[in-house]
Every structure is written in C-alpha cells, then in structure tokens.
Amino acid sequence: MTTEILLTNDDGIDAVGIRALADALSTEYDVTVVAPESNQSGVGGARSWWETTVEYTETDRGYAVEGTPADCVAVADVALGLDPDVVVSGCNHGPNIGAHILGQSGTVGAAMEASFLGTPAIAVSLYDRGNLPVPPTLDAGDFAVAGEVVADLLDRIDEGILPFGADVLNVNVPAADDEAAVDPTYRLTEPARGFDVIEFHPGEEGPENESVPEDENVPEGWEFGERRGEMGMELRDRFWREFLRGDVADDPGSDRRAAVEGEVSISPLSSSRAVAGDRAGDLVEPARGAETGAD
C-alpha cells in the first residue's frame, strides 16, 4: 500500500502546481516535498557532480534544494535518508508531451532519477487547451484534476509496482476548467514521435515565417512570424506549431492527440530505453568480417 510520497518538480518549490498537489495528496498520504529552490524548467535529467556542492534548506514548504530536479531526488535519498513508496514529480505548469520532449523535461528527469534509484515515479503535467503551450498564471483550483488523477494512479500501484508495466508514468492532465475535465477520459498513450525543426532567419519572409491567422488557436505572442532576434538564426519546433493549432495528424494513442482532445494522457515509460529484448547477450559479428591478423 502506498503511504509515503516524495513530491518534487522543476518549476520550483514555490510553484502553484506543487503546492496544489501537496495539499491534495496530504489528505491521504504522508507527503515530503523536496524541490528546487528556483525554477529549473528544461534541464532534463541533469544532476550536479563532483565539482558542485548541492545545498538544501528546510523551510515551511519542504526542503528547498539549490539544484536540479534530479538533484532533489538524490538529496532526498542520500542526504535526508527518505525511503518513499513512490516519487511524484509535478504538477508542471504546461504539458510535457512528445518523445523529443522527454529528455528535456525536468519534470520527467526527476521521475527518471527516482526510477534509476529503484523507486517508482509519476511525472504529471497540466495543459490548458485554451492557453497553449503554457497557461498564464494559475491558481490551485486549476490543478484539481491533476490531484485526482495522481491519487487514482497511486491506488493502482501494487506492492511497489506501477501499473501498465511501467518504470515511470508520464501523465498530462487538462486544466480543471476544461469542459472535458468534468468527466475526463483516461487514455493509455505513447509519446508522439513526429518532430521537425524549422530554420528561421530573422528578416526573411516566407511560408514558414508568416504570422498565424487571427482565427488560429494560438496565444498572443506565439505567432510564428514573430522576430525575436536581429542576428544569426533560430530553430523552431514544427511539433509545437501543429500542437498550438490543434492540427494534429497523429494516430489515436499518441500523447499529443490525447491532449488536443482534452483527455488524460498516461504514457508508461521504461527507464532503460532498451530495445534488445530477448537478443540481449547475443554476440554480434563485425559487419566487415574478422581481422585476419599479420601475415
């Protein structure tokens, strides 16, 4: 039975999302917060090494760590001696969807660190279909569905084993004011694989540099023709262009498709990333043949 939870995130210990989850989960579980002292979004699974001293301070909100989300999990394990049943990372302010995003996400990075250390983990992020990609300032009520979904998934853990054969669950949840959140559909998904980078040179015009029409569902300030620099070039992610427009060609079962349709996306992940399967341990012959040696 799950009783003790380590709660962390990448938005920082003062973020609304982690406070909302702490309040929601504390009604049923023993929750300890160990989170970054400041915003660490986008650091992935980076962790401090030998040349860095990781400082942490106990506060009335939990333990504030001057480091990355992965550092927080390591500090909890080694310095604080915590032995949680599960690590929950989130709730992130904005979605973490797509295979290429997983390695960039500090939210997912913390969950992966927990898995490496032998603890099952759930990474949870919030999206708002009316305010993509990152919603404006939120209050705790916006994360109500996230709290309910995490509690539901915690109930599914059996003797320390996550459901769906996962080492880590990457979960994306609609904001509470989404009409689909009244009775949310849970969808088992895989991270979307579609990815393309657009080369953009400030000052150039062309189809890829034009602003999105006003009737497109794209927040102000995210027009694709916007110019943010005078020199050099920018690399823009076409994946987000499609997602912002809600124009997603993914097959049913992708996390991006589930988010566009207002569903709760649950992606079971393996921390090993291995695909050798039953062939692990097989010898592999050199493609160009063995060396014959000296004459």
Side-chain angles (χ1 to χ4, degrees):
M1 179 179 177
T2 300
T3 57
E4 296 187 15
I5 296 173
L6 169 62
L7 181 60
T8 190
N9 73 346
D10 73 352
D11 290 331
I13 196 168
D14 292 322
V16 177
I18 194 170
R19 307 316 312 162
L21 272 192
D23 291 343
L25 298 178
S26 293
T27 61
E28 297 184 55
Y29 306 98
D30 182 5
V31 177
T32 302
V33 174
V34 184
E37 184 273 336
S38 60
N39 191 306
Q40 296 288 314
S41 297
V43 301
R47 185 157 60 80
S48 300
W49 294 97
W50 298 279
E51 72 279 5
T52 304
T53 299
V54 179
E55 302 287 346
Y56 62 93
T57 305
E58 186 173 6
T59 75
D60 59 357
R61 301 175 305 283
Y63 292 90
V65 178
E66 295 182 17
T68 68
D71 284 338
C72 294
V73 176
V75 165
D77 180 55
V78 178
L80 301 177
L82 300 181
D83 186 22
D85 298 301
V86 63
V87 171
V88 175
S89 182
C91 182
N92 193 64
H93 185 173
N96 277 302
I97 58 175
H100 66 297
I101 294 295
L102 299 184
Q104 303 170 17
S105 166
T107 304
V108 177
M112 284 293 177
E113 181 77 4
S115 179
F116 296 150
L117 292 172
T119 304
I122 300 171
V124 58
S125 304
L126 177 140
Y127 66 86
D128 182 344
R129 289 189 293 175
N131 291 285
L132 293 171
V134 179
T137 302
L138 301 173
D139 60 36
D142 293 302
F143 294 90
V145 178
E148 295 169 2
V149 170
V150 171
D152 180 278
L153 293 173
L154 291 173
D155 287 344
R156 299 169 188 254
I157 296 176
D158 184 15
E159 296 185 356
I161 305 299
L162 287 173
F164 317 117
D167 296 324
V168 170
L169 293 177
N170 185 46
V171 183
N172 285 275
V173 179
D177 64 355
D178 190 314
E179 61 181 14
V182 175
D183 184 19
T185 297
Y186 287 34
R187 181 80 62 184
L188 205 61
T189 62
E190 290 189 347
R193 296 175 184 268
F195 176 61
D196 189 15
V197 173
I198 303 167
E199 179 183 3
F200 172 70
H201 293 273
E204 290 185 356
E205 296 294 340
E208 299 298 349
N209 300 333
E210 295 173 357
S211 296
V212 177
E214 292 183 0
D215 60 348
E216 294 277 9
N217 182 28
V218 178
E220 182 180 355
W222 282 85
E223 290 83 0
F224 288 88
E226 178 193 6
R227 299 173 184 174
R228 296 193 297 268
E230 298 298 328
M231 303 294 292
M233 74 171 199
E234 299 174 9
L235 297 176
R236 299 190 177 185
D237 182 347
R238 193 191 304 271
F239 178 94
W240 287 107
R241 177 182 185 128
E242 296 170 352
F243 183 54
L244 292 174
R245 289 178 166 179
D247 180 20
V248 173
D250 302 348
D251 292 333
S254 85
D255 56 358
R256 184 169 60 156
R257 175 75 171 269
V260 165
E261 295 184 354
E263 299 176 333
V264 173
S265 167
I266 304 171
S267 294
L269 305 178
S270 167
S271 58
S272 74
R273 305 182 184 179
V275 296
D278 293 340
R279 297 192 62 187
D282 287 0
L283 296 177
V284 179
E285 296 295 333
R288 298 189 180 185
E291 295 290 337
T292 59
D295 293 333

